[in-house]
Amino acid sequence: MKIVDGHVIVCCPGRNFVTLKLITDEGTYGIGDATLNGRELAVASYLEDHVLPLLIGRNPGRIEDTWQYLYKGAYWRRGPVTMAAIGAVDTALWDIQGKTLGVPVYHLLGGPSRDSVLVYGHANGTDVDDTLRAVERYCELGYQAIRVQSGVPGLEGTYGVGRGDMYYEPAEPGLPPEQRWSTELYLDFVPELFARVRSEFGPEPMFLHDVHHRLTPIEAARLGKALEPYHLFWLEDAVPAELQEGFRIIRQHTTTPLAVGEVFNTIHDCQQLIQEQLIDYIRTAVVHAGGISHLRKIASLAELYHVRTGCHGATDLSPVCMAAALHFDLSVHNFGIQEYMRHSEETDRVFPHEYTFERGAMHPGDAPGLGVDIDEELAAEYPYQRAYLPVNRKLDGTVHSW
Ligand code: KDG
Ligand code: MG
């Protein structure tokens, strides 16, 4: 079998997505997500201009060889654009392989290690009462694990507080919006928020919180310690993770479990974090960390060190990535949890899929391949719209991590 054709589809059914489609001489095709929020066209060009010409004539069954060919063969390694492009090719090749053999991709990955995949949803509100109402609605929807984010009194626009109801979309059409930040106000507020959440909902639900890279290690240590009485499932992205050894400081001070990795692209970004057992959950995503093949290597390293997976699953990762993540999650032994920020109805219509949600858990379905498709005619009705993630500044105007 040979790859004879391929193209990139950029569409905006409520938000931008980049999708790679590879077609074989037997008529089978596979798809992969290549969406990099706010930098979508860079990956589209990388694929169209530099990668697609290399794939024509290749055997789609040579998944690992193609990965190595694109990674080592480019000479220029790593980075989000390169790795999203390689991730899209890898995902599409697993899809083709599953369809060719007539089995769901998880069967090719060793079969199911569990019956279904625990997911967490996103409760957010402009203040504590609003957030508590959102948590209640997620509990009613059957979620067992819920990420809790709330507006911080005194700050306009906080990470994780969405524009819509039960929905969170940070990218804005046009130029990047700016938000304001105060570490002091945030650190005073978050323990109060979780004290209220636990007192209203009791010990049972699993609660998560995302700091979104905004603290220094010692500030993160203080927050982790203050949150210990509320037994978080995890505290996410407590610090910007370029400095892996910075996590030692957090770890020395708190038993709150730590998660990180949604912006990582390779195993090299988390090697020290995993080997020194500085984290509990690794959040690398299929789309941004080189596809299913590379994620399995990260999971295997993590398994040795009691680190579990917790794949990123925000709305800016398309349903193609979501499907691929669910096949990975179902099969990998050291799975922890999967993020599930539900997509809009428009997005779901453009990407029909087999995956299902029931009582706080998901299943990828049993269709051959990934069990997800793209309706290209419908996608064409939603052309790309330039959009950016916000930029964050401290109250004195200094640029801060968003
Ligand atoms: O594009 C950025 C989003 O994916 C990110 O802000 C979402 O932090 C995020 C999360 O945990 O889902
Ligand atoms: Mg996050």
Side-chain angles (χ1 to χ4, degrees), residues 5-134:
D5 200 2
H7 55 276
V8 177
I9 306 136
V10 181
C11 62
C12 188
R15 70 151 359 274
N16 288 315
F17 293 110
V18 179
T19 310
L20 173 70
K21 185 166 188 174
L22 297 178
I23 302 160
T24 72
D25 54 352
E26 294 180 12
T28 326
Y29 64 86
I31 56 176
D33 182 23
T35 309
L36 185 63
N37 205 359
R39 298 291 187 271
E40 294 87 358
L41 300 184
V43 190
S45 157
Y46 191 106
L47 282 166
E48 269 164 2
D49 298 327
H50 304 292
V51 172
L52 276 172
L54 306 174
L55 298 178
I56 305 306
R58 286 186 77 83
N59 175 348
R62 297 189 65 165
I63 301 176
E64 178 66 19
D65 181 66
T66 302
W67 196 98
Q68 299 294 346
Y69 184 87
L70 294 177
Y71 184 79
K72 296 197 166 81
Y75 185 65
W76 311 106
R77 297 182 185 202
R78 305 166 65 179
V81 175
T82 298
M83 298 309 290
I86 295 179
V89 174
D90 184 79
T91 308
L93 294 184
W94 281 106
D95 192 22
I96 291 174
Q97 189 73 348
K99 287 173 176 166
T100 305
L101 298 173
V103 292
V105 166
Y106 71 81
H107 271 294
L108 305 175
L109 306 178
S113 285
R114 55 197 52 79
D115 300 332
S116 61
V117 168
L118 176 71
V119 297
Y120 68 91
H122 282 239
N124 61 68
T126 49
D127 57 26
V128 177
D129 289 329
D130 201 21
T131 306
L132 292 177
R133 279 193 292 277

Side-chain angles (χ1 to χ4, degrees), residues 37 147 159 210 212 236 262 283 312 314 316 339 402:
N37 205 359
R147 189 184 92 158
Y159 165 75
D210 190 349
H212 222 250
E236 177 183 335
E262 68 183 42
R283 283 183 38 71
H312 189 205
D316 49 289
E339 181 179 14
W402 174 71

Side-chain angles (χ1 to χ4, degrees), residues 174-203:
L175 295 176
E178 295 206 354
Q179 293 180 348
R180 290 282 159 165
W181 176 250
S182 159
T183 297
E184 295 72 21
L185 293 176
Y186 172 78
L187 283 179
D188 284 343
F189 170 72
V190 177
E192 271 176 44
L193 168 70
F194 278 93
R196 286 282 307 277
V197 171
R198 272 288 173 227
S199 84
E200 298 266 336
F201 296 95

Side-chain angles (χ1 to χ4, degrees), residues 343-364:
H343 288 105
S344 68
E345 283 174 17
E346 282 166 300
T347 298
D348 282 339
R349 275 197 295 276
V350 169
F351 296 96
H353 50 259
E354 296 287 323
Y355 57 76
T356 49
F357 171 90
E358 204 183 331
R359 289 194 294 275
M362 293 181 75
H363 193 281

Side-chain angles (χ1 to χ4, degrees), residues 31 68 73 145 175 231 246 255 269 305 310 382 392 396:
I31 56 176
Q68 299 294 346
L175 295 176
H231 301 136
T255 55
D269 300 323
Y305 296 94
Y382 299 100
N392 203 23
D396 71 358

